[in-house]
Structure formats: structure tokens, C-alpha cells
Amino acid sequence: MNNKKILIVEDEEKIAEVMTAYLEKDGFNVQSTTSGLNAVKLIKELRPNLVVLDLMLPDLSGEEICTQVRRFSDVPIIMVTALTSEDNRVAGLTIGADDYLTKPFSPRELVARVHSILRRVDSKNLPLADIITFDSEKLSIDITRHEVKIEGTLVSLTPLEFKLLVTLARYPGRVYSRLELVNKLQGYDFIGYERTIDAHVKNLRQKIESNSKKPRFIKTVFGVGYKFEA
Ligand code: CA
């Protein structure tokens, strides 16, 4: 056992069985469900380390589950889909999946992806305890002290700007939709309209980017939202 819990959400039982067998052989503690509604409940209760989520389910769609889960959890999600077009991949990214597998896939491929994502998450979570730095310490974020420095100089951010920066910087490269950011920032004295995110990003860029017109860290993903570039 490696103590990592994986939840498989898949209504095709044969596929779920094969995935479970391969992941268990690798030491994972695997649970599975065929229901989307049950999946959201299980993610709250079991707090899995990773979720393998089928896009096409009889009750809730994988996309809907993803959206709901992102309101309360950053658990890595691998979306499994029979759809192949680039459009669907982008749609998935906007709702916060971390990776994609297109059916049919080999179980070995799934196991490899699971390991690679968990490695990525582990290495990213480690420095979260105190300080994360980017670009040879040009930008440093001190999580516990709520301090951000640009080239060693303290920058004054509002609590909302700080939360926005940490949310994006915690998963470099991951694209966040405006709606996802709105949900993340609830409770930070925030009027929850998607477009108001743009105003906060603009302010944040002016404080941390040397050229806010050509941002180095906070990139716009056209038609989708924002991402942090490490
Ligand atoms: Ca299915």
C-alpha cells in the first residue's frame, strides 16, 4: 500500500474493474462509484488523493461534477473521455480537470498518469508550508506570513489579491476560468461577477509584473481565463 486513495467514477463497470485492478496492483487504495451524485459526496467524505472521472455518466456529467468539486476541493482530477476534439479538451480545462485520457486507453497509461500527477502535486505542495519563489526569486510568496516580494521588495496586496495570486501560483500552468476564480475567492469581500476578476487581475499585475501589458507571471488564456506561468 502507498496510502494514496483514488476514487474512480465510471458507469461502465468493466472499465472500472480493469482500472481498479491495475491501480490496486500498484498499491493504491481504490474506491469506485458509477454515480455522479454519489461521486461528489464521496469526494467530500473520502478525501481521495486523486479522482478518475468519466465524462459521460447517467446522472451528473463529468463536467458538472468537476465544477461542483472545484468549489470545495483542489483534488487532482483525470478526466476520461470518449470525445477527442480539441474543443472538448479546452472545455475540460476551463472546468478544472488536471489531465485527460481518451478512451480507449491502456491501463498502464492511466497508472503512469496517476503517478505523474501525484508527483507533481506532492512537489508543488511541499513549499506551500512557507515560501514559494519563481524566476530565480524575482517573485517570492510567503504563504504563512501573507507576504509577497518582487526582487526582495515587499509588495502590498489586498487579501483578495493575495488569495488570487496564491490560487494561480499553486498550480502553475493550470488554466482557471473566471467562474472558477470567482468560486475560489468567495468570502474575500468579493462581488462575484466573472468580469470583476479581470479588474483584480489587472490590479495584481500592476503590483507584481514589471510590465503589466506583457505579463511574465499571470497570463491570459484567450476565451478561457488565466494561468500562472512558473
Ligand atoms: Ca460512461
Side-chain angles (χ1 to χ4, degrees):
M1 290 295 265
N2 61 25
N3 291 323
K4 301 267 190 197
K5 285 183 278 185
I6 297 186
L7 178 67
I8 294 174
V9 188
E10 168 65 77
D11 60 311
E12 286 170 75
E13 287 178 19
K14 276 271 173 295
I15 296 179
E17 273 169 29
V18 172
M19 291 197 282
T20 303
Y22 271 79
L23 289 165
E24 281 182 345
K25 209 170 73 189
D26 240 51
F28 291 103
N29 175 356
V30 185
Q31 309 254 1
S32 67
T33 178
T34 55
S35 145
L37 287 166
N38 196 32
V40 177
K41 201 170 130 253
L42 282 174
I43 291 166
K44 276 186 186 147
E45 285 170 11
L46 299 172
R47 304 182 139 269
N49 298 90
L50 185 141
V51 177
V52 180
L53 177 61
D54 183 29
L55 187 67
M56 302 293 205
L57 292 161
D59 49 3
L60 279 185
S61 75
E63 281 158 306
E64 179 57 28
I65 294 168
C66 222
T67 307
Q68 288 193 19
V69 168
R70 284 291 173 251
R71 289 183 191 135
F72 64 89
S73 169
D74 279 324
V75 61
I77 296 175
I78 299 180
M79 190 81 96
V80 175
T81 162
L83 309 164
T84 49
S85 86
E86 206 58 19
D87 283 353
N88 285 309
R89 198 183 146 81
V90 171
L93 284 172
T94 70
I95 53 170
D98 296 81
D99 202 355
Y100 288 80
L101 271 177
T102 307
K103 286 178 182 173
F105 56 86
S106 84
R108 279 194 191 84
E109 174 71 13
L110 171 70
V111 173
R113 299 276 187 101
V114 166
H115 279 294
S116 121
I117 290 178
L118 289 177
R119 260 197 312 274
R120 212 165 76 199
V121 169
D122 283 347
S123 66
K124 241 165 244 154
N125 281 342
L126 279 179
L128 265 189
D130 43 5
I131 299 170
I132 28 178
T133 60
F134 297 98
D135 206 358
S136 326
E137 303 193 6
K138 189 177 181 300
L139 169 66
S140 99
I141 306 172
D142 186 329
I143 308 279
T144 45
R145 301 172 80 168
H146 270 238
E147 282 178 1
V148 173
K149 287 179 182 172
I150 294 291
E151 286 168 351
T153 306
L154 214 55
V155 183
S156 167
L157 299 184
T158 65
L160 187 140
E161 287 161 357
F162 184 81
K163 172 76 175 171
L164 176 61
L165 177 61
V166 171
T167 299
L168 293 166
R170 194 175 167 191
Y171 294 100
R174 190 176 129 188
V175 182
Y176 286 86
S177 70
R178 289 178 178 82
L179 183 60
E180 222 182 319
L181 291 171
V182 167
N183 289 328
K184 296 265 180 203
L185 297 171
Q186 297 290 350
Y188 281 80
D189 200 14
F190 177 65
I191 310 293
Y193 296 108
E194 291 181 45
R195 288 290 153 187
T196 50
I197 285 291
D198 297 346
H200 291 292
V201 167
K202 192 177 164 205
N203 293 339
L204 183 57
R205 277 176 174 158
Q206 276 165 356
K207 291 180 181 180
I208 69 161
E209 303 280 3
S210 47
N211 178 355
S212 62
K213 294 262 184 296
K214 281 187 183 161
R216 152 74 185 83
F217 296 110
I218 300 175
K219 305 276 190 185
T220 301
V221 181
F222 186 72
V224 181
Y226 296 99
K227 69 174 178 178
F228 186 91
E229 197 148 293

